[in-house]
Amino acid sequence: MTAQAAGFDAIVLGAGAAGLMAAATAGQGGARVVVVDHAQHAGRKILISGGGRCNFTNMDAGAGQFISANPHFAKSALARFTPADFVALVQRHRIPWHEKAAGQLFCDRSARDIVDMLLRECASGQVTLRLSHRIIDVARDAAGQYRVETDHGVFLAPSLIVATGGLSIPRLGATGIAHDLARRFGLRVVAPAPALVPLVFGAQDREWMEPLAGLSATVGITCQAGAGRQARQVTFRDGMVFTHRGLSGPVILQASSYWQPGQPVEIDLLPGVDAAARLLEIKRDRPRAGGVAMLSMLLPQRLAQFFAAAHLPEGQLAGMPDAVLANVARVLSAWRLNPHGTEGYVKAEVTRGGVDTDCLSSRDMEARDVPGLFMVGEAVDVTGWLGGYNFQWAWASGYAAGQAV
Ligand code: FDA
């Protein structure tokens, strides 16, 4: 007979960022909590995050930096557990940290500090941690009790917090169980897709991109966010890198979260520069220079050679009509490329889409029609920009659910 472990108020599935935060919050609030995870270790994604230093929050985090079918959904939870609240926790545990880029906070030492902190918080809430437990079945009985069957026994509780994340990085234990459970309990799921992921190109584009591999430049990309009356444009300005398969770098990862198959991406290679005016100025100042020399005043050498070969005649600038320069300026400011796809979940930092927020309470993440069922973290259709936003969502949504059970 399978061992049954009753006597818990809440079962948390997933010992990642959101699950540990939810468990610690609930446990410290007096609930008897068990966390169940199939991985051998807790918080594996935290450990590899931010290049091993974990970009654990962003001081500017607000609903505007998240992608969701309901752009307002994240507001309530983000307001009740803020970046300052997380920083206060980090300070209480005497973890040294620093601000890298504007608002982005990282550990000085290692992401391990954050995992250890969360485990200490769980311990102070008397949370039971059950790792290396394979989940076999999850059900809700007629009395409203959740029953989680694992290969090490069964857990019973009136509340279930699903914090098993998204599909990105399967080698770290990611599975689609959150989406499967949502559907099983009648919740809709917004189609998931890899996000914060490099873009790949077809064979034809790869041919001319190959010699540019390794080259990087600061560029701007404007993305269309939302639809209908909620539509707005978002512009990112950051580094782009040519790879052997396409494009990567922070600005591309940001754009990938908005990219839809079949759409082009439009890259401003000279962000903040009036390209047409600048090229005419160079022509006036250095009439005897050639096209490559002119463009290499604005772009990395290899890119300058590439664009000069493709768009400028041989010879001195003095002999080039202004209209030719105006045309290359247009190309440089809005360089249209057609990605073939993305590097997929193997490389994606997060999963876009997930449990439809219309099915959840924005206050505490409980399913509207299934009492006691909570969905938190990356499993939910709330996807943050690069820069610490995704962890802030994990902390805030985990805290909201943890307070409610
Ligand atoms: P998370 O994925 O952390 O945890 C889910 C847990 O559920 C895991 O422990 C997993 O083992 C478990 N699980 C899954 N399926 C299961 C099953 N079937 N049975 C049992 N257990 C199961 N974000 C950020 O803000 N700053 C950063 O610096 C980075 N850096 C970064 C780098 C890399 C390489 C990646 C891949 C991701 C990031 N992120 C990030 C994103 C961030 O890691 C992510 O948003 C959070 O970890 C999401 O937290 P969750 O708790 O929702 O899922």
Side-chain angles (χ1 to χ4, degrees):
M1 203 181 112
T2 329
Q4 295 230 6
F8 289 110
D9 298 310
I11 304 165
V12 177
L13 301 185
L20 293 176
M21 178 55 99
T25 306
Q28 290 175 21
R32 290 157 303 170
V33 184
V34 60
V35 181
V36 180
D37 198 303
H38 64 170
Q40 272 181 305
H41 303 283
R44 288 184 73 195
K45 255 187 207 167
I46 302 174
L47 290 175
I48 60 154
S49 68
R53 291 247 162 90
C54 185
N55 178 190
F56 55 77
T57 193
N58 193 305
M59 294 311 285
D60 301 326
Q65 290 100 1
F66 291 86
I67 302 162
S68 172
N70 176 358
H72 303 292
F73 180 81
K75 280 183 188 166
S76 170
L78 289 172
R80 278 177 304 111
F81 190 86
T82 66
D85 291 324
F86 195 77
V87 171
L89 186 60
V90 166
Q91 310 263 55
R92 261 205 316 280
H93 285 258
R94 300 180 189 283
I95 296 172
W97 56 272
H98 61 279
E99 184 170 1
K100 199 168 168 192
Q104 299 177 14
L105 308 191
F106 286 75
C107 295
D108 284 357
R109 291 186 304 229
S110 148
R112 162 65 55 197
D113 282 346
I114 298 295
V115 176
D116 289 347
M117 174 189 87
L118 293 167
L119 292 175
R120 280 199 297 275
E121 287 289 310
C122 282
S124 83
Q126 317 288 315
V127 171
T128 303
L129 199 55
R130 291 284 175 259
L131 299 172
S132 302
H133 277 46
R134 191 168 61 80
I135 297 168
I136 295 167
D137 193 33
V138 178
R140 183 166 178 260
D141 66 20
Q145 283 270 108
Y146 289 90
R147 182 180 185 281
V148 175
E149 183 186 346
T150 75
D151 58 352
H152 287 71
V154 172
F155 298 90
L156 299 167
S159 293
L160 178 71
I161 301 179
V162 179
T164 47
L167 294 157
S168 43
I169 323 279
R171 79 181 158 80
L172 289 184
T175 71
I177 191 174
H179 305 160
D180 297 342
L181 288 176
R183 290 190 195 95
R184 159 108 54 107
F185 286 106
L187 278 55
R188 289 182 300 279
V189 174
V190 174
L196 297 181
V197 61
L199 296 173
V200 297
F201 287 79
Q204 253 184 342
D205 286 320
R206 294 233 285 263
E207 214 172 286
W208 62 259
M209 279 181 165
E210 182 75 7
L212 299 174
L215 189 149
S216 62
T218 298
V219 305
I221 299 185
T222 298
C223 304
Q224 188 69 34
R229 286 177 49 212
Q230 314 254 30
R232 66 188 174 113
Q233 290 202 317
V234 186
T235 300
F236 297 101
R237 187 171 166 173
D238 212 325
M240 174 179 85
V241 186
F242 288 86
T243 69
H244 289 284
R245 290 166 50 82
L247 295 173
S248 189
V251 75
I252 294 295
L253 300 192
Q254 300 279 31
S256 75
S257 297
Y258 291 94
W259 182 74
Q260 300 289 344
Q263 271 184 358
V265 283
E266 206 170 271
I267 299 166
D268 181 355
L269 288 157
L270 300 173
V273 176
D274 180 341
R278 187 75 186 100
L279 295 187
L280 288 177
E281 197 178 89
I282 298 173
K283 175 180 170 181
R284 195 188 59 226
D285 294 348
R286 301 184 54 192
R288 297 168 75 174
V292 177
M294 172 180 70
L295 294 184
S296 54
M297 291 174 72
L298 304 168
L299 297 169
Q301 180 72 12
R302 269 191 290 163
L303 263 190
Q305 285 165 341
F306 172 78
F307 281 103
H311 298 283
L312 291 174
E314 300 270 330
Q316 298 184 344
L317 294 178
M320 286 184 207
D322 289 355
V324 170
L325 298 191
N327 180 54
V328 79
R330 264 195 303 277
V331 175
L332 295 179
S333 305
W335 191 30
R336 278 192 152 219
L337 296 173
N338 289 293
H340 188 72
T342 73
E343 291 279 8
Y345 290 117
V346 177
K347 294 266 177 75
E349 284 202 9
V350 291
T351 300
R352 180 178 78 196
V355 180
D356 191 332
T357 58
D358 282 352
C359 303
L360 304 176
S361 148
S362 62
R363 204 180 150 69
D364 58 16
M365 308 292 130
E366 187 174 14
R368 290 186 188 285
D369 298 327
V370 193
L373 176 66
F374 298 78
M375 296 276 172
V376 297
E378 199 180 314
V380 179
D381 174 33
V382 174
T383 307
W385 291 354
L386 193 72
Y389 300 100
N390 283 297
F391 277 136
Q392 188 55 38
W393 170 246
W395 315 136
S397 58
Y399 179 82
Q403 278 215 313
V405 297

